Amino acid sequence: MKTWQDKEEFKKIFTEKAHVLWEKDLQDMTLNEVYQTVAYMVRDLVSQEWIRTNKVYAEKKVKQVYYFSIEFLLGRLLESNLIGIGMEKVCRDGLQDLGWDLEDIIPQERDPGLGNGGLGRLAACFIDSLAALHLPGHGCSIRYQYGLFNQRIVDDQQVELPDNWLVNGYPWEVKKVDKAVNVHFGGNAYMRPTEDGDLECVYEKYSSVRAVPYDVPVIGYHNNTVNTLRLWRAEYSREDMYRELTLGDRHRAFLYKENVQLISRFLYPEDSREDGRRLRLMQEYFMVSAGLQSIVRHYKKKYRKSMYRFDQYINIHINDTHPALVVPELMRILMDEEGISWEAAWNVTVRTVGYTNHTILPEAMERWSIPMFQSLLPRIYLIVEEINNRWLQEVRALYPEDEARARDVAVLWDGQVHMAHLAVLGSHSINGVAEIHSQILRDSTLHQFYTCFPDRFSNKTNGISHRRWLIQSNPQLASLIDDTIGDAWRLDAAKLVDLEPFTGDAAFLQQLGEVKRARKDIMATYIKQKYNVTVPADSIFDIQIKRIHLYKRQLLNILHILHLYYLLKTNPKMRITPRTFLFGGKAAAGYGEAKQTIKLINVVAGMVNRDRRVSRQMHVLFLENYNVSLGQILFPAADVSEQISTAGKEASGTGNMKFMMNGAVTMGTMDGANVEIHREVGDDNCVIFGLRADEVMDYYVNGGYSSWNMYSSDSHIRHLMNSLVDGSIGGESFGMLYESLLDRNDEYFVLKDFAAYCDAQKEISERYNERKKWLHSSAVNIAHSGYFSSDRTIQQYASDIWHIKPVKI
Ligand SMILES: *Cc1c(COP(=O)(O)O)cnc(C)c1O
């Protein structure tokens, strides 16, 4: 790969580039212009390898995988790309000579708001790992003009501001006008007999939307691989407008234009109790159809193989059900455009598609009303109907008179299209994202499918990019690890286990303590600057950052804090290990309980922090606008990782892995990947509490839990619950939370697990006070975090599901 020989060359190229881009003297440049200049310079360096990577894949006709995801939560790219091409130091030194600090330039880049949370961040870690492992794999998604909102806290409450992340342009993207395709919506579709006695589909009077790809390079780590993240944007063309006029009138043409522009305008929040569901379905089909058309076109042009062999060269992976329309869309292309029979097309489709399930929360299962689906996607609906008919015919033949079974596996039922069932039926591989989650899929959620296709099910425990979440975000720890075991772990995270012999080494633990302290100081400085709050860096940094959701139980955390506050108020002599409780996370704009939880945290924080005596022992703070960049400051600073979801609800979690890799001790329930973290580090190095998933399930099925009984029998709980509604917390009332805990019988077992959580928190405090043991635990967590590198996860996908091999560029 082309590089900058030294800082002198960097400065020379920078100066030339800056002049061309901005027509200004260097001293007049803004920090943002400096950022953009360096970003374009990085792109220049990788452009040849980007072209070469695609050329090599096509010439060797290697099997490629396309990872379809409605979100990619990338985070900033400048630093990760500089690290990837090994040019961070040259750039830093060169900029310094020119009078800039790279640390001031990096924050100029805005986080692309192309995701909500864990699912989108997983997709970003996956494409990072694909490139690092020189695997031929690419991302496919939508170029949302506005990301998820920016979160502000005003008067203790969340306020949502639009995230116009593209205002200053995005230097990492390349618009590929010549690769645009058309996607069709609406109109009429019906079958008619052909001359030779077959059936063919007539699809007419549809509206056509132009999909234009914007490509972002995905740069490998110290290799020459540059894969592609392809983001689609919806546009209308003059011809399409004219077409609308001929099909209808000026009104239809006007509506069409408005609608097209809306398709790629907004990212929708994950808890979509929102309106605009129709637009979301349009987005899903838009991404799927554009992505598939471009893959098929490339395959025909470069591979020149028969469409019957498509699956031998192409794998499509769908991240949750949002892209599940790849199944009927690929069927449509194979049948309507390539003239292949239903049976052959179905075989090719199933062998091409793989599906990862991400949730078992019933309210999060995607379903579309048939009338809406049918009017928006008439041709796709005919195909889904046929898939459903053939499948139910099979099921009813095998299990006659068993309508309950038909209902459990139907794609169309009760006036709805069931996307998870479509995804399962159309895939040769179905996986969960942590062992407990995959087990629940097999045993209950998808049990009937599992009995039909046991070989298609597997587990692929999630992972995180150790490049972003350790090498990049915690250079202090990375460099200590280098000094201790060498730097081979950077290429192979499993080698972190070489730290194991040092977890009892006093000198190493001392240094580890210093690194953690340095990272806590950085965090404390950020908090001082942004919030003008002083948090003591020798207190326990106890952090819960994730989307706000009842099942994630931020409520349990804040109720325990409130409980501590009351204890300290009534027993002024009481001493606890000083703690700083930090929260962060966005609530979906329409999710009342989540927004009230944020308010409760902020009101309690105000009460605690303003109290002179209590605030000597504890601080509470809600950090605004949690995103990838804020995470890069928070994870390295954590002593305690709060992973306290109701057992059986969190599919995997990945925040838990980022904390672990940075030496935090997990305080967790036996849920998601916490189970594997516990297995890796043992009881001595994490604190597990609360109901197990089978106990939770047993209460759901057989009853036997009454939160009112908890209220009556436990005076602490009674005090806490009363204070939610009697105005004693800042004069506010938290009725929605009170109702969910008592009137709706505490669906997530917050009160049931409360005592166990308090005990577990005491246990944490006691352990923290034994400094040597605590640092040992921290070291054990780091040493065993290699398993949670997404490189391990991607290697499993590559060998078990995709059957793709590394390609050296
Ligand atoms: C990792 C990450 C998440 C996922 O966190 P969980 O604790 O697994 O829910 C969400 N948002 C951001 C910005 C992340 O980096």
Side-chain angles (χ1 to χ4, degrees):
M1 185 177 292
K2 225 170 45 170
T3 53
W4 306 310
Q5 287 306 307
D6 50 25
K7 65 176 181 175
E8 297 308 324
E9 194 188 20
F10 173 88
K11 281 150 56 181
K12 181 167 160 280
I13 298 173
F14 180 93
T15 309
E16 289 167 6
K17 190 104 195 158
H19 285 162
V20 175
L21 281 174
W22 314 108
E23 301 292 348
K24 280 190 186 180
D25 281 336
L26 293 193
Q27 68 263 25
D28 296 331
M29 286 174 71
T30 65
L31 292 180
N32 191 267
E33 287 166 350
V34 175
Y35 152 67
Q36 292 197 49
T37 309
V38 180
Y40 284 118
M41 287 169 67
V42 171
R43 253 189 53 195
D44 286 347
L45 288 188
V46 303
S47 74
Q48 289 208 333
E49 271 65 29
W50 198 2
I51 295 167
R52 249 186 78 73
T53 301
N54 282 318
K55 207 163 134 188
V56 171
Y57 292 165
E59 277 171 1
K60 294 192 171 164
K61 296 187 171 42
V62 297
K63 186 172 187 187
Q64 304 197 55
V65 56
Y66 296 87
Y67 194 81
F68 279 53
S69 177
I70 198 89
E71 304 180 8
F72 278 86
L73 196 53
L74 296 174
R76 295 182 180 133
L77 293 184
L78 178 59
E79 191 180 17
S80 56
N81 286 342
L82 282 169
I83 293 172
I85 60 175
M87 286 286 111
E88 201 194 10
K89 182 165 163 40
V90 174
C91 174
R92 190 181 298 277
D93 295 349
L95 284 177
Q96 182 148 39
D97 281 8
L98 297 172
W100 289 295
D101 184 344
L102 179 57
E103 297 313 307
D104 297 330
I105 302 306
I106 288 168
Q108 287 298 314
E109 179 172 359
R110 293 180 65 146
D111 276 41
L114 300 182
N116 267 294
L119 173 137
R121 183 55 229 172
L122 184 77
C125 284
F126 278 8
I127 54 174
D128 178 270
S129 282
L130 281 163
L133 297 169
H134 26 88
L135 287 164
H138 313 277
C140 179
S141 191
I142 296 172
R143 181 181 177 275
Y144 303 102
Q145 187 183 345
Y146 291 89
L148 185 64
F149 61 86
N150 278 318
Q151 180 194 54
R152 285 285 108 80
I153 302 298
V154 179
D155 295 335
D156 299 323
Q157 280 175 289
Q158 167 175 296
V159 173
E160 300 94 21
L161 302 176
D163 173 23
N164 191 6
W165 68 283
L166 281 165
V167 269
N168 295 323
Y170 190 54
W172 302 110
E173 70 184 8
V174 188
K175 184 175 185 177
K176 297 273 172 75
V177 182
D178 60 313
K179 302 240 164 78
V181 299
N182 292 313
V183 177
H184 298 161
F185 291 97
N188 306 318
Y190 58 90
M191 306 305 293
R192 78 170 167 215
T194 60
E195 280 166 11
D196 41 2
D198 280 342
L199 281 176
E200 68 176 7
C201 180
V202 181
Y203 183 27
E204 57 188 20
K205 297 191 178 148
Y206 50 76
S207 295
S208 183
V209 175
R210 214 164 99 92
V212 183
Y214 288 68
D215 287 355
V216 176
V218 184
I219 300 173
Y221 182 73
H222 298 187
N223 62 25
N224 291 321
T225 299
V226 183
N227 290 330
T228 301
L229 169 59
R230 176 157 282 185
L231 303 173
W232 293 95
R233 175 175 186 225
E235 293 183 357
Y236 62 88
S237 65
R238 219 174 258 284
E239 303 87 81
D240 293 334
M241 285 287 283
Y242 183 73
R243 206 184 125 76
E244 293 298 310
L245 278 171
T246 59
L247 284 170
D249 52 14
R250 290 226 299 269
H251 186 62
R252 174 166 168 161
F254 174 77
L255 274 184
Y256 162 80
K257 185 174 152 187
E258 295 286 297
N259 263 312
V260 168
Q261 292 179 320
L262 279 175
I263 292 178
S264 51
R265 184 157 301 163
F266 298 104
L267 166 71
Y268 287 97
E270 59 195 331
D271 319 272
S272 255
R273 314 163 173 206
E274 305 268 313
D275 308 332
R277 301 268 295 152
R278 188 181 144 91
L279 255 175
R280 172 69 169 216
L281 181 57
M282 286 180 85
Q283 289 187 333
E284 294 182 357
Y285 183 66
F286 173 75
M287 163 178 95
V288 157
S289 180
L292 271 179
Q293 286 185 58
S294 87
I295 292 164
V296 168
R297 187 157 78 182
H298 180 262
Y299 172 78
K300 289 171 70 170
K301 183 167 157 209
K302 299 284 179 175
Y303 283 58
R304 296 174 169 279
K305 299 279 183 190
S306 144
M307 287 308 292
Y308 291 92
R309 299 176 66 188
F310 189 70
D311 58 288
Q312 294 173 24
Y313 297 91
I314 305 290
N315 225 286
I316 311 279
H317 202 89
I318 60 176
N319 193 26
D320 216 335
T321 56
H322 321 110
L325 294 175
V326 295
V327 173
E329 175 66 3
L330 185 52
M331 290 294 287
R332 183 191 68 79
I333 293 173
L334 292 170
M335 296 187 304
D336 297 0
E337 293 178 11
E338 304 297 328
I340 292 176
S341 73
W342 177 280
E343 288 75 13
W346 184 248
N347 278 329
V348 171
T349 298
V350 172
R351 285 196 292 243
T352 301
V353 179
Y355 159 56
T356 298
N357 174 287
H358 279 270
T359 181
I360 43 187
L361 297 181
E363 68 270 25
M365 286 285 184
E366 271 200 305
R367 291 190 176 97
W368 300 108
S369 96
I370 289 180
M372 182 180 84
F373 190 104
Q374 190 172 16
S375 73
L376 201 56
L377 307 169
R379 174 55 181 139
I380 294 300
Y381 181 74
L382 287 179
I383 294 172
V384 171
E385 203 174 32
E386 184 69 17
I387 292 172
N388 184 61
N389 287 343
R390 289 178 184 237
W391 169 237
L392 287 189
Q393 209 168 16
E394 242 179 87
V395 172
R396 284 176 177 137
L398 275 170
Y399 307 94
E401 323 272 315
D402 190 353
E403 275 309 276
R405 184 178 290 262
R407 180 198 60 214
D408 285 351
V409 298
V411 179
L412 301 179
W413 199 265
D414 239 8
Q416 292 185 312
V417 185
H418 198 309
M419 298 289 267
H421 293 178
L422 179 62
V424 171
L425 267 186
S427 303
H428 68 287
S429 164
I430 299 114
N431 72 281
V433 290
E435 276 170 23
I436 185 176
H437 168 62
S438 297
Q439 186 76 43
I440 292 171
L441 290 181
R442 286 191 300 261
D443 291 350
S444 63
T445 319
L446 299 177
H447 179 71
Q448 306 294 7
F449 286 102
Y450 176 65
T451 57
C452 297
F453 313 108
D455 300 339
R456 294 187 186 179
F457 283 72
S458 75
N459 172 250
K460 300 285 172 282
T461 298
N462 279 168
I464 55 166
S465 165
H466 67 285
R467 287 165 292 278
R468 180 168 294 262
W469 296 111
L470 178 50
I471 294 173
Q472 182 185 339
S473 66
N474 199 344
Q476 297 84 350
L477 178 57
S479 133
L480 171 61
I481 297 172
D482 285 346
D483 294 346
T484 311
I485 58 170
D487 62 5
W489 64 274
R490 289 176 181 250
L491 282 177
D492 177 6
K495 292 209 164 72
L496 283 171
V497 80
D498 293 348
L499 282 172
E500 179 64 36
F502 296 90
T503 59
D505 180 304
F508 174 74
L509 294 183
Q510 157 98 20
Q511 288 177 297
L512 180 60
E514 285 163 14
V515 164
K516 183 58 82 181
R517 176 57 196 244
R519 294 303 315 206
K520 288 166 76 171
D521 285 334
I522 291 173
M523 184 78 242
T525 305
Y526 174 89
I527 290 173
K528 179 73 197 168
Q529 275 174 1
K530 189 154 190 263
Y531 299 96
N532 196 27
V533 174
T534 307
V535 295
D538 52 2
S539 61
I540 302 177
F541 276 25
D542 177 316
I543 308 186
Q544 186 170 22
I545 41 174
K546 46 182 78 245
R547 289 302 294 267
I548 312 294
H549 208 296
L550 284 176
Y551 87 81
K552 290 178 185 275
R553 299 202 294 190
Q554 281 91 356
L555 203 43
L556 178 56
N557 190 344
I558 194 65
L559 287 175
H560 166 251
I561 292 167
L562 189 58
H563 173 63
L564 271 185
Y565 171 82
Y566 288 142
L567 286 178
L568 289 169
K569 290 300 275 183
T570 41
N571 313 295
K573 296 226 177 79
M574 190 176 133
R575 287 291 163 268
I576 62 167
T577 313
R579 278 224 205 196
T580 300
F581 294 98
L582 298 173
F583 291 85
K586 296 176 184 174
Y591 191 168
E593 290 89 344
K595 294 182 85 169
Q596 206 161 77
T597 303
I598 291 178
K599 183 172 177 188
L600 177 61
I601 294 169
N602 281 308
V603 174
V604 170
M607 224 162 71
V608 167
N609 300 346
R610 272 197 294 275
D611 188 302
R612 281 259 184 86
R613 255 207 326 254
V614 171
S615 66
R616 267 180 234 148
Q617 306 202 64
M618 60 193 268
H619 284 79
V620 184
L621 205 63
F622 186 93
L623 301 164
E624 277 177 343
N625 208 39
Y626 172 47
N627 61 11
V628 172
S629 290
L630 182 57
Q632 288 174 214
I633 306 175
L634 279 158
F635 291 109
D639 295 307
V640 177
S641 158
E642 295 280 349
Q643 307 300 333
I644 57 178
S645 53
T646 311
K649 298 288 181 190
E650 187 77 88
S652 162
T654 49
N656 47 4
M657 303 167 187
K658 299 167 200 166
F659 278 112
M660 178 196 190
M661 198 172 269
N662 284 278
V665 171
T666 303
M667 146 70 89
T669 48
M670 275 299 209
D671 198 18
N674 298 353
V675 175
E676 281 115 305
I677 290 176
H678 171 256
R679 189 175 63 205
E680 291 291 318
V681 302
D683 279 323
D684 290 346
N685 303 300
C686 62
V687 177
I688 299 293
F689 76 98
L691 292 175
R692 309 294 143 137
D694 54 343
E695 296 170 313
V696 168
M697 191 51 77
D698 195 56
Y699 279 125
Y700 284 145
V701 176
N702 300 317
Y705 171 55
S706 156
S707 60
W708 276 112
N709 285 349
M710 306 281 316
Y711 177 92
S712 317
S713 60
D714 184 323
S715 63
H716 291 306
I717 286 180
R718 197 159 55 245
H719 182 196
L720 289 168
M721 291 303 99
N722 290 343
S723 67
L724 284 179
V725 288
D726 65 10
S728 60
I729 310 174
E732 301 281 350
S733 178
F734 300 90
M736 269 188 190
L737 301 179
Y738 181 91
E739 278 166 29
S740 103
L741 292 172
L742 292 171
D743 301 338
R744 280 187 275 130
N745 201 31
D746 187 14
E747 188 182 350
Y748 300 105
F749 300 93
V750 172
L751 303 183
K752 183 78 188 162
D753 274 346
F754 185 72
Y757 183 63
C758 293
D759 290 345
Q761 285 290 21
K762 269 199 208 120
E763 170 76 19
I764 287 273
S765 288
E766 282 161 21
R767 289 195 198 179
Y768 189 81
N769 287 332
E770 290 192 63
R771 183 159 167 83
K772 265 256 184 64
K773 265 170 93 175
W774 183 269
L775 286 171
H776 166 75
S777 274
S778 174
V780 169
N781 272 278
I782 299 165
H784 291 268
S785 67
Y787 179 76
F788 299 102
S789 167
S790 47
D791 291 1
R792 185 268 311 152
T793 314
I794 284 298
Q795 257 148 359
Q796 292 178 331
Y797 277 93
S799 63
D800 303 349
I801 300 177
W802 301 331
H803 306 291
I804 55 170
K805 293 197 186 62
V807 181
K808 301 270 183 196
I809 306 300

